[in-house]
Each structure stands twice: as C-alpha cells, then as structure tokens.
Amino acid sequence: MLEIKNLTAGYGNGPDVIKNINLKVREGEIVTIIGPNGAGKSTILRSIFGLTSIRNGEINLSGENLVNQKTDQIIKHGVCYVPQGRSVFSTMTVEENLQMGAYILNDKKEIDGRLGKIYSRFPNLYAKRKCAAQNLSGGQQQMVSLGRALMLNPKLLLLDEPSIGLSPKLTMEVFENCRTIKKNGTSILIIEQNANIALQYTDHAYVLEMGENRLDGKGKELLKNKKVGKLYLGR
Ligand SMILES: Nc1ncnc2c1ncn2[C@@H]1O[C@H](COP(=O)(O)OP(=O)(O)O)[C@@H](O)[C@H]1O
Ligand SMILES: [Mg+2]
C-alpha cells in the first residue's frame, strides 16, 4: 500500500539527509525502522507526511503520489502521524484529547461513533476518559496519542519512537496495541529503539544507517542476523 522508491530528501536548502531510500509497507503489516541516532529515521516519516524538502524519488500510497502534496491533503489520503515525544494536551481529559483527533470531521455523531470504537478496542482509555492527560503515566499518555491518531481511521499510521522512556514491559504493550490496530485494518510504520522487542512484533524491518538503506528482512530473520545482533541487540 505504501511504496517509497529512491527517496532523497532534506530540510530547506540543507544537505540530503536521506539518500535513495526504498521501503514498502504492505496492507495489514507492521513495519519497523531501526538504526542509530541521526540515521534519518524520523526524516523518512516526516517526508511521508509532507514535512521535508523532497529532492528525488516517489512516495506512493495505494496508487496516490504523495510527493509535493500538503500535509492536510496527505491526512485526507489516510495517513496519521504521531511524532516523537509525548504529544498529549496535558490539561485536557483523555476524552477531549481523543475528540481533538477528529475535529476536522466536524460531525459530533460521527466523532462519538469513532470514540466508542476506540473505547471498545482499548478499555483502559475508557476507564481513564475523565482524567486529565497530565495525570496519566507515560505509557497511558502514549496510548492516548495512539488513540487520538486512530480517530481519523487511517490507512497508514506513522509512529516515531512511541516507546521512548518506557520500560520494556510497557514497550511490549505498545506493540500489543499495534497488533490490535493492525487487526482493525490500519497498517503501521514505526521507529523503535528497542530492536529486540520491535523485531518480535514486526512483519518487516529496515535498518537505516547514515541516511541509507543498510539491510531489511522479516522481523524474525533480522533477529537471527549476526550484524543486527551485534549492533542493535547487544550480542
Ligand atoms: N528540522 C531539521 N532541520 C535541519 N536538519 C534536521 C532537521 N531535523 C533533523 N535534521 C538532521 O537530519 C539528520 C537526521 O535526523 P533524524 O531524521 O531526526 O534522525 P533519527 O530519527 O534517525 O535520529 C540529523 O543529522 C539532523 O541533524
Ligand atoms: Mg528520530
């Protein structure tokens, strides 16, 4: 559904940050990008979302070319993006945060319907719906930003290091949530530092180094790969 071909991009008039990147996300897949700091992982997600300067290549989503489209247009094509860092509205309640996710729909009935679906998939959010987001734990806040992105029913969800600052146990919960999201028809492209956990949950993974594709493969194959093991799994 998402196919990136020979993508080269940077910021403003600055140097190329990613070079000739190739990457695919198939319908119903969780795809992970791993790689060291500064490798250009976030730049790939920002490029898909229309936030970089694209110098070459293609980004196709279900046949639609996203290159040079504006972010609001890209959202309409079914892409949602959760940037790095906790991005909840801290003084608003969980429910208000979720409603904000769909404010562009401008249709209270529709928004309520989607809210109900999210609560039934993620009962923990329902239990906390009246709480101010700032009073939730890090893992719960992460769940709120995921839920908020899901309010638009995206075809493709872009997640930039959702587990940052979370324990391995909560990181696994984030990926369990990703599985639920995937079952409900949203494909996911996720950046994750904890390769050990990510590769267990992921259908396909890409290793990025210095702005270029290094290697890729099925999650479970990369778990067995010697080079990945040495560099990213602490073996
Ligand atoms: N807004 C920006 N403007 C200019 N350069 C940036 C910007 N964001 C990131 N960069 C540069 O792009 C490179 C890759 O960054 P990034 O994509 O954030 O890497 P990663 O997510 O893999 O850590 C870094 O060298 C960084 O300095
Ligand atoms: Mg990053």
Side-chain angles (χ1 to χ4, degrees):
M1 58 149 356
L2 177 78
E3 187 161 14
I4 296 181
K5 281 191 202 159
N6 298 320
L7 183 69
T8 297
Y11 296 90
N13 297 316
D16 294 343
V17 170
I18 50 173
K19 284 155 261 171
N20 280 315
I21 292 295
N22 290 290
L23 182 152
K24 260 187 208 171
V25 182
R26 295 183 180 79
E27 200 93 41
E29 273 188 342
I30 299 177
V31 173
T32 306
I33 306 173
I34 58 177
N37 266 335
K41 304 182 297 296
S42 298
T43 301
I44 294 181
L45 299 196
R46 291 191 205 115
S47 297
I48 298 167
F49 211 56
L51 302 173
T52 64
S53 125
I54 293 177
R55 281 83 189 253
N56 190 39
E58 295 171 29
I59 304 175
N60 288 302
L61 182 77
S62 312
E64 184 79 33
N65 180 13
L66 299 186
V67 172
N68 294 328
Q69 295 211 30
K70 296 240 156 45
T71 298
D72 56 347
Q73 215 46 47
I74 294 169
I75 294 171
K76 284 187 191 134
H77 290 307
V79 181
C80 278
Y81 167 54
V82 182
Q84 214 168 306
R86 306 254 151 68
S87 53
V88 294
F89 300 103
S90 53
T91 58
M92 292 186 183
T93 65
V94 167
E95 184 147 300
E96 286 162 346
N97 267 275
L98 294 174
Q99 285 164 337
M100 285 296 286
Y103 77 100
I104 60 167
L105 296 179
N106 228 340
D107 175 341
K108 175 126 187 13
K109 237 183 166 170
E110 178 65 29
I111 293 176
D112 284 347
R114 293 188 184 199
L115 198 56
K117 275 193 194 136
I118 288 185
Y119 285 151
S120 65
R121 277 189 234 162
F122 302 105
N124 293 345
L125 285 178
Y126 182 74
K128 296 279 177 187
R129 68 194 183 285
K130 304 276 187 224
C131 295
Q134 63 193 357
N135 295 333
L136 303 185
S137 69
Q140 290 166 339
Q141 288 188 22
Q142 194 51 60
M143 192 61 238
V144 174
S145 36
L146 267 181
R148 197 174 57 210
L150 291 175
M151 286 293 284
L152 286 180
N153 247 334
K155 277 195 248 177
L156 176 68
L157 183 59
L158 307 173
L159 300 175
D160 197 342
E161 300 200 29
S163 74
I164 209 152
L166 301 183
S167 67
K169 183 171 173 278
L170 288 175
T171 302
M172 286 175 75
E173 259 172 47
V174 169
F175 278 92
E176 292 289 345
N177 289 333
C178 286
R179 269 194 183 154
T180 307
I181 292 166
K182 148 179 158 160
K183 269 193 210 128
N184 286 280
T186 297
S187 307
I188 300 175
L189 179 58
I190 180 170
I191 298 174
E192 175 56 46
Q193 286 294 334
N194 191 326
N196 250 319
I197 295 175
L199 293 178
Q200 290 174 43
Y201 281 88
T202 210
D203 296 295
H204 205 91
Y206 290 83
V207 179
L208 198 73
E209 279 172 18
M210 296 175 59
E212 298 186 51
N213 283 104
R214 191 56 67 211
L215 54 131
D216 71 276
K218 288 189 175 140
K220 297 207 166 112
E221 282 167 11
L222 289 186
L223 269 177
K224 290 184 258 166
N225 181 294
K226 279 213 175 92
K227 182 165 183 260
V228 173
K230 201 164 153 215
L231 287 175
Y232 301 107
L233 305 173
R235 282 184 202 141

